[in-house]
Amino acid sequence: MTKYVNIRKIEKLHDEIQIGFMDKGNFQKQSILYYESAIKKCRLCLMEMKKHVIGYMFRNVSDEIYFFKTLKPGVNSYLLYFLEIHHIETLWVDAKDTLKKKLNKKRKEVNCFIQNHYEFYRCYKSKLNYMDDILFTRKVNDIYWLKDDPSYVVEPEFSSGGDYLLSRILAYEKLKKYLNTQSVQCDPDKEAIGGTLLDAGKQKLAWTESKVALVELIYSLYYSNAINMGNIEIKQLASVFEDIFDIELNDFYHTYTEIRNRKKDRIKFLDLLRNTLIRRMDELDGIN
């Protein structure tokens, strides 16, 4: 007799972790005992999930994708996140200047990991699902992009091709916010937002023009070599603006192609900026 995965029971386990850490699993410093307890809870939850998956069949592909794309990464990402924080809190006992350097180094490692897997990250952020049956089902579980990670052990009945990578990315998204928060404490006169340092006391920034306008601005800065003397990838620059303005640009490559294909007014937003600034300077100079 075929035994099927009880997806509702697993969903309940997932929700208990999400709700339990929604308020306290955030990015403020907690006690070491808190992190150890959180790690234990996540591990126990994954072990319980495993009991309901190994030796069972999913009723349909949708349930299988839901498990490997949402339920398992939702718990595993918290486990990886708390493991990272526990490592930082127990081993990084340094003077503020040294700690700040370590935080910045770790932030660069996190950004580098996301950049190295940018296409996967873009698909996830854009909610694209055309690869789901390959990345989030048990029929393909060769984790070819993570073979350099000695901590990961593939369990064929409890693994898919993409669930661990997604868990790492989700964990690193949380870790970036934690690192920014800790950077503020090392330098209280500054506030970390989106991986950049802005003056403390400023309100959170919101982009109030269209996303197309922002893409236009980003590409103009990129091609003019105005950032880092041109030593920056376009996807990295776009990611910085996404973090600063808390916005998702999704497939900005496609947006740029649409801008290039305009028949007239190809750089409408940049023209608007130029004309607005000139008009304002003329007004101040008394020029009609």
PDB file of all heavy atoms in Angstrom, residues 211-224:
ATOM      1  N   LYS A 211       9.964  51.857 -11.649  1.00  0.00           N
ATOM      2  CA  LYS A 211      11.112  50.955 -11.666  1.00  0.00           C
ATOM      3  C   LYS A 211      11.923  51.135 -12.952  1.00  0.00           C
ATOM      4  O   LYS A 211      13.148  51.013 -12.948  1.00  0.00           O
ATOM      5  CB  LYS A 211      10.644  49.501 -11.542  1.00  0.00           C
ATOM      6  CG  LYS A 211      10.069  49.151 -10.177  1.00  0.00           C
ATOM      7  CD  LYS A 211       9.705  47.677 -10.095  1.00  0.00           C
ATOM      8  CE  LYS A 211       9.134  47.325  -8.726  1.00  0.00           C
ATOM      9  NZ  LYS A 211       8.784  45.885  -8.620  1.00  0.00           N
ATOM     10  N   VAL A 212      11.241  51.415 -14.030  1.00  0.00           N
ATOM     11  CA  VAL A 212      11.938  51.652 -15.310  1.00  0.00           C
ATOM     12  C   VAL A 212      12.880  52.845 -15.175  1.00  0.00           C
ATOM     13  O   VAL A 212      14.012  52.817 -15.660  1.00  0.00           O
ATOM     14  CB  VAL A 212      10.918  51.884 -16.444  1.00  0.00           C
ATOM     15  CG1 VAL A 212      11.640  52.224 -17.752  1.00  0.00           C
ATOM     16  CG2 VAL A 212      10.040  50.655 -16.630  1.00  0.00           C
ATOM     17  N   ALA A 213      12.417  53.889 -14.497  1.00  0.00           N
ATOM     18  CA  ALA A 213      13.249  55.079 -14.292  1.00  0.00           C
ATOM     19  C   ALA A 213      14.496  54.731 -13.478  1.00  0.00           C
ATOM     20  O   ALA A 213      15.601  55.210 -13.772  1.00  0.00           O
ATOM     21  CB  ALA A 213      12.442  56.162 -13.585  1.00  0.00           C
ATOM     22  N   LEU A 214      14.324  53.882 -12.478  1.00  0.00           N
ATOM     23  CA  LEU A 214      15.466  53.486 -11.658  1.00  0.00           C
ATOM     24  C   LEU A 214      16.468  52.673 -12.473  1.00  0.00           C
ATOM     25  O   LEU A 214      17.682  52.863 -12.345  1.00  0.00           O
ATOM     26  CB  LEU A 214      14.989  52.683 -10.448  1.00  0.00           C
ATOM     27  CG  LEU A 214      16.076  52.256  -9.459  1.00  0.00           C
ATOM     28  CD1 LEU A 214      16.871  53.455  -8.949  1.00  0.00           C
ATOM     29  CD2 LEU A 214      15.459  51.510  -8.280  1.00  0.00           C
ATOM     30  N   VAL A 215      15.972  51.781 -13.306  1.00  0.00           N
ATOM     31  CA  VAL A 215      16.864  50.996 -14.178  1.00  0.00           C
ATOM     32  C   VAL A 215      17.635  51.919 -15.109  1.00  0.00           C
ATOM     33  O   VAL A 215      18.842  51.736 -15.350  1.00  0.00           O
ATOM     34  CB  VAL A 215      16.054  49.951 -14.970  1.00  0.00           C
ATOM     35  CG1 VAL A 215      16.935  49.295 -16.043  1.00  0.00           C
ATOM     36  CG2 VAL A 215      15.489  48.888 -14.033  1.00  0.00           C
ATOM     37  N   GLU A 216      16.975  52.933 -15.618  1.00  0.00           N
ATOM     38  CA  GLU A 216      17.623  53.926 -16.485  1.00  0.00           C
ATOM     39  C   GLU A 216      18.776  54.607 -15.747  1.00  0.00           C
ATOM     40  O   GLU A 216      19.884  54.769 -16.279  1.00  0.00           O
ATOM     41  CB  GLU A 216      16.577  54.958 -16.911  1.00  0.00           C
ATOM     42  CG  GLU A 216      16.911  55.720 -18.175  1.00  0.00           C
ATOM     43  CD  GLU A 216      15.769  56.635 -18.585  1.00  0.00           C
ATOM     44  OE1 GLU A 216      14.640  56.124 -18.796  1.00  0.00           O
ATOM     45  OE2 GLU A 216      16.002  57.856 -18.677  1.00  0.00           O
ATOM     46  N   LEU A 217      18.530  54.980 -14.498  1.00  0.00           N
ATOM     47  CA  LEU A 217      19.547  55.642 -13.683  1.00  0.00           C
ATOM     48  C   LEU A 217      20.716  54.692 -13.399  1.00  0.00           C
ATOM     49  O   LEU A 217      21.885  55.078 -13.503  1.00  0.00           O
ATOM     50  CB  LEU A 217      18.927  56.125 -12.366  1.00  0.00           C
ATOM     51  CG  LEU A 217      19.881  56.759 -11.352  1.00  0.00           C
ATOM     52  CD1 LEU A 217      20.523  58.019 -11.929  1.00  0.00           C
ATOM     53  CD2 LEU A 217      19.141  57.076 -10.056  1.00  0.00           C
ATOM     54  N   ILE A 218      20.399  53.452 -13.043  1.00  0.00           N
ATOM     55  CA  ILE A 218      21.435  52.474 -12.712  1.00  0.00           C
ATOM     56  C   ILE A 218      22.360  52.235 -13.897  1.00  0.00           C
ATOM     57  O   ILE A 218      23.591  52.231 -13.755  1.00  0.00           O
ATOM     58  CB  ILE A 218      20.789  51.150 -12.258  1.00  0.00           C
ATOM     59  CG1 ILE A 218      20.128  51.329 -10.890  1.00  0.00           C
ATOM     60  CG2 ILE A 218      21.827  50.020 -12.197  1.00  0.00           C
ATOM     61  CD1 ILE A 218      19.250  50.160 -10.475  1.00  0.00           C
ATOM     62  N   TYR A 219      21.795  52.053 -15.076  1.00  0.00           N
ATOM     63  CA  TYR A 219      22.628  51.794 -16.254  1.00  0.00           C
ATOM     64  C   TYR A 219      23.463  53.005 -16.640  1.00  0.00           C
ATOM     65  O   TYR A 219      24.595  52.868 -17.120  1.00  0.00           O
ATOM     66  CB  TYR A 219      21.760  51.332 -17.430  1.00  0.00           C
ATOM     67  CG  TYR A 219      21.579  49.833 -17.473  1.00  0.00           C
ATOM     68  CD1 TYR A 219      20.521  49.218 -16.811  1.00  0.00           C
ATOM     69  CD2 TYR A 219      22.480  49.023 -18.154  1.00  0.00           C
ATOM     70  CE1 TYR A 219      20.360  47.836 -16.830  1.00  0.00           C
ATOM     71  CE2 TYR A 219      22.331  47.639 -18.193  1.00  0.00           C
ATOM     72  CZ  TYR A 219      21.270  47.054 -17.529  1.00  0.00           C
ATOM     73  OH  TYR A 219      21.125  45.684 -17.552  1.00  0.00           O
ATOM     74  N   SER A 220      22.930  54.196 -16.405  1.00  0.00           N
ATOM     75  CA  SER A 220      23.719  55.397 -16.716  1.00  0.00           C
ATOM     76  C   SER A 220      24.927  55.496 -15.796  1.00  0.00           C
ATOM     77  O   SER A 220      26.030  55.858 -16.222  1.00  0.00           O
ATOM     78  CB  SER A 220      22.851  56.650 -16.597  1.00  0.00           C
ATOM     79  OG  SER A 220      22.463  56.881 -15.249  1.00  0.00           O
ATOM     80  N   LEU A 221      24.745  55.154 -14.515  1.00  0.00           N
ATOM     81  CA  LEU A 221      25.865  55.149 -13.570  1.00  0.00           C
ATOM     82  C   LEU A 221      26.862  54.045 -13.916  1.00  0.00           C
ATOM     83  O   LEU A 221      28.078  54.229 -13.807  1.00  0.00           O
ATOM     84  CB  LEU A 221      25.344  54.946 -12.145  1.00  0.00           C
ATOM     85  CG  LEU A 221      24.499  56.089 -11.573  1.00  0.00           C
ATOM     86  CD1 LEU A 221      23.862  55.676 -10.244  1.00  0.00           C
ATOM     87  CD2 LEU A 221      25.357  57.338 -11.361  1.00  0.00           C
ATOM     88  N   TYR A 222      26.342  52.919 -14.354  1.00  0.00           N
ATOM     89  CA  TYR A 222      27.201  51.778 -14.694  1.00  0.00           C
ATOM     90  C   TYR A 222      28.076  52.094 -15.906  1.00  0.00           C
ATOM     91  O   TYR A 222      29.305  51.929 -15.871  1.00  0.00           O
ATOM     92  CB  TYR A 222      26.319  50.561 -14.970  1.00  0.00           C
ATOM     93  CG  TYR A 222      27.083  49.355 -15.458  1.00  0.00           C
ATOM     94  CD1 TYR A 222      27.967  48.670 -14.622  1.00  0.00           C
ATOM     95  CD2 TYR A 222      26.903  48.882 -16.763  1.00  0.00           C
ATOM     96  CE1 TYR A 222      28.659  47.565 -15.061  1.00  0.00           C
ATOM     97  CE2 TYR A 222      27.590  47.772 -17.213  1.00  0.00           C
ATOM     98  CZ  TYR A 222      28.475  47.107 -16.361  1.00  0.00           C
ATOM     99  OH  TYR A 222      29.161  46.010 -16.812  1.00  0.00           O
ATOM    100  N   TYR A 223      27.480  52.564 -16.980  1.00  0.00           N
ATOM    101  CA  TYR A 223      28.237  52.801 -18.210  1.00  0.00           C
ATOM    102  C   TYR A 223      29.130  54.038 -18.134  1.00  0.00           C
ATOM    103  O   TYR A 223      30.095  54.167 -18.897  1.00  0.00           O
ATOM    104  CB  TYR A 223      27.286  52.920 -19.410  1.00  0.00           C
ATOM    105  CG  TYR A 223      26.753  51.581 -19.863  1.00  0.00           C
ATOM    106  CD1 TYR A 223      25.385  51.342 -19.926  1.00  0.00           C
ATOM    107  CD2 TYR A 223      27.619  50.551 -20.216  1.00  0.00           C
ATOM    108  CE1 TYR A 223      24.891  50.109 -20.335  1.00  0.00           C
ATOM    109  CE2 TYR A 223      27.135  49.316 -20.621  1.00  0.00           C
ATOM    110  CZ  TYR A 223      25.773  49.100 -20.685  1.00  0.00           C
ATOM    111  OH  TYR A 223      25.290  47.879 -21.087  1.00  0.00           O
ATOM    112  N   SER A 224      28.834  54.952 -17.185  1.00  0.00           N
ATOM    113  CA  SER A 224      29.682  56.133 -17.026  1.00  0.00           C
ATOM    114  C   SER A 224      30.860  55.876 -16.090  1.00  0.00           C
ATOM    115  O   SER A 224      31.681  56.774 -15.856  1.00  0.00           O
ATOM    116  CB  SER A 224      28.849  57.306 -16.491  1.00  0.00           C
ATOM    117  OG  SER A 224      28.370  57.021 -15.182  1.00  0.00           O
TER     118      SER A 224
END
